[in-house]
Amino acid sequence: EENKRLGKIAYILNSIQQILGLKLQPFSLAFDQQKQVHHASEILITNSRSVGAEALKWSQDITLNDGILNILVIRATNIFDLLGILVTLLAGKEKRNPVVKTYQFKQYCRIDTQSPVRTQADGDPVGETPVKLIIDPRSLVVIAGKEGYYQRS
């Protein structure tokens, strides 16, 4: 609701709130028969390169239509880490930033924490950890234009 009313300003305010509360905590990741524990400030799951501004994009390896979701483990503990991420995104060199580790999954991903952590989807609050994502290939119906629509086969 608030994000709709305030538009992009709500996302900026949310980002500032997150920056002020940066701290590393253990996240347990289980994805496609792998299990890992990471100390991170944030875990981001995406299938889009977009970071919210045209000039800011994640790796070119991230595509919308490959059936793969991408996990970004972010270990930002201060404003300098965040500025470093910003600079590497602008330069197209985010894979060289030691604050961000990337993984991919094709089937499922589960994220657990010792105590509940708030979760978001597209900037909106959606609950708390644990979170489980399951990829269901070719399950999206796309509607385009007045008369045309594509349905999975």
Side-chain angles (χ1 to χ4, degrees), residues 35-82:
K35 290 186 179 183
Q36 302 178 6
V37 175
H38 293 276
H39 284 78
S41 53
E42 186 160 347
I43 305 289
L44 175 67
I45 307 290
T46 187
N47 73 334
S48 170
R49 291 185 60 216
S50 174
V51 181
E54 186 59 34
L56 301 176
K57 296 203 183 284
W58 294 114
S59 168
Q60 290 188 18
D61 298 344
I62 298 174
T63 60
L64 288 169
N65 60 357
D66 61 0
I68 296 172
L69 288 180
N70 301 271
I71 306 167
L72 292 95
V73 178
I74 301 172
R75 292 181 46 90
T77 59
N78 56 53
I79 191 71
F80 299 109
D81 289 342
L82 293 173

Side-chain angles (χ1 to χ4, degrees), residues 32 65 94 109 114 120 138 140 145:
D32 293 355
N65 60 357
E94 72 285 339
C109 178
Q114 292 173 346
Q120 298 176 14
R138 302 180 57 81
L140 179 65

